Amino acid sequence: MISMAVEETGKMSKLPVGIQVYGLRDLIENTPDRFEQVMMQVKELGYDGAELAGLYGLEPEYIREVFDKAGLIPISAHVPFEELAADPEAAAETYKKIGTEYLAVPCLPKESRPNAPGYQEALKEMARIGKIMKENGITLLYHNHDFEFETLPDGEYAFDNIYAEVPEEFLKAEPDVCWIKAAGQSPQEYLRRYKGRNEIVHLKDFYKEGNPNLHNTEESGTETGIFEFRPVGFGMQIWEPILDAVLESDAKWVVVEQDRHYDLDPLEAARRSREYLKILGW
């Protein structure tokens, strides 16, 4: 693990900063031969590691070589829930070759989301998958969107229900502060609530106007409002209290994620996010 910056007081002043490769997919999805070049550029921007979202047809051994060459840490990978459930052992073997410490459920399919018929079965599956990952030396994470803040029949938020129902030894948290805030909740409160369970925190900024349908994140606008992703520091989030809460929550990493870039080049967006975090001492 990369060493942390330490203040004169001896208190941790920051965490290593990674980037979610999903935000760079337009650069490599159809040109996987550019993977090494893009990872080199990520390192030049000042990122310490990267979180994968697919292998783009590349061999895991090659991806590990690229990370080593670039000087990046392969932090984690988002792996579709269906893939993890179908063969968790195979997923573990693949990502052990890359060296990721974590695998994350990026999103539940619609039929498995809160209040859908498959929700309870999904909870059982995550416990099963998490147990197998633990046996393989990997920590399973859950990455939230906004729909985890729908209330269940007993009035509980699904976000809290997931972590209550799946044992902590089999499932840690990867809170996404954009979706927590966009759902009308306090990122700081949720980070502190799950102190010790947060392993990676997704830093994501956004602009929201009106009452858009947040579930459809492929659209920048709807009939009732606008929702667009922004580089960190260029949206509506107030970052100092969020970052303070990240540290207080005992997280291990922060990972910048920007799902869509609109007219902005993905690497330019990544640069802006990283530069803003540097201004804040990260």
Side-chain angles (χ1 to χ4, degrees):
M1 177 65 69
I2 191 169
S3 61
M4 311 299 181
V6 178
E7 297 175 339
E8 292 181 1
T9 59
K11 294 182 179 179
M12 187 167 60
S13 61
K14 69 171 186 176
L15 298 177
V17 180
I19 191 166
Q20 218 321 327
V21 181
Y22 180 74
L24 306 175
R25 64 194 181 282
D26 291 347
L27 304 176
I28 52 180
E29 266 186 335
N30 298 318
T31 53
D33 55 302
R34 293 188 62 196
F35 183 78
E36 179 176 330
Q37 175 189 346
V38 172
M39 291 303 104
M40 292 293 186
Q41 290 173 296
V42 164
K43 180 63 176 180
E44 289 173 3
L45 293 176
Y47 288 93
D48 302 303
E51 181 179 54
L52 294 163
L55 304 182
Y56 307 103
L58 302 170
E59 293 297 323
E61 293 87 353
Y62 171 73
I63 290 175
R64 177 60 182 264
E65 290 175 9
V66 169
F67 274 100
D68 288 344
K69 185 176 180 180
L72 290 169
I73 294 175
I75 313 160
S76 177
H78 278 196
V79 183
F81 176 70
E82 301 92 329
E83 182 179 335
L84 289 170
D87 197 341
E89 290 283 2
E93 287 302 313
T94 294
Y95 287 95
K96 280 195 290 185
K97 294 175 183 176
I98 298 173
T100 60
E101 185 176 352
Y102 305 98
L103 290 186
V105 175
C107 186
L108 289 174
K110 289 184 178 180
E111 65 273 13
S112 299
R113 293 179 186 177
N115 294 316
Y119 175 64
Q120 292 300 323
E121 184 61 29
L123 296 179
K124 295 176 184 177
E125 280 292 276
M126 281 196 281
R128 180 181 71 88
I129 295 164
K131 182 176 185 296
I132 292 171
M133 291 303 156
K134 184 177 181 181
E135 291 167 354
N136 280 275
I138 295 172
T139 300
L140 184 68
L141 309 176
Y142 183 81
H143 169 265
N144 66 279
H145 287 74
D146 62 304
F147 59 76
E148 288 84 1
F149 292 94
E150 292 181 7
T151 54
L152 299 174
D154 64 359
E156 183 181 27
Y157 284 135
F159 187 105
D160 299 302
N161 181 255
I162 289 169
Y163 294 115
E165 293 296 322
V166 184
E168 182 174 351
E169 64 175 318
F170 301 142
L171 186 68
K172 297 283 189 175
E174 186 178 54
D176 185 307
V177 300
C178 163
W179 292 123
I180 294 173
K181 182 67 174 180
Q185 305 301 312
S186 165
Q188 301 93 288
E189 178 185 333
Y190 267 87
L191 289 167
R192 293 188 177 101
R193 180 178 301 184
Y194 289 94
K195 176 182 172 68
R197 197 163 182 172
N198 300 321
E199 296 287 310
I200 300 171
V201 177
H202 269 204
L203 306 184
K204 185 188 297 180
D205 218 333
F206 67 96
Y207 173 78
K208 179 183 176 184
E209 184 178 306
N211 186 33
N213 176 11
L214 299 183
H215 293 310
N216 189 0
T217 59
E218 292 304 310
E219 297 293 337
S220 62
T222 70
E223 292 181 358
T224 56
I226 296 170
F227 182 88
E228 293 186 353
F229 301 103
R230 295 282 189 266
V232 173
F234 291 78
M236 301 177 74
Q237 299 271 40
I238 300 175
W239 284 102
E240 290 89 339
I242 293 175
L243 292 171
D244 286 345
V246 169
L247 291 177
E248 292 172 24
S249 78
D250 295 336
K252 307 297 191 302
W253 280 86
V254 291
V255 168
V256 169
E257 182 181 35
Q258 187 173 340
D259 298 41
R260 297 190 71 205
H261 302 87
Y262 315 102
D263 296 327
L264 191 64
D265 179 80
L267 282 170
E268 172 59 19
R271 185 194 69 80
R272 293 184 188 188
S273 291
R274 190 67 192 94
E275 290 302 312
Y276 179 78
L277 290 170
K278 289 177 184 177
I279 290 170
L280 297 184
W282 287 65

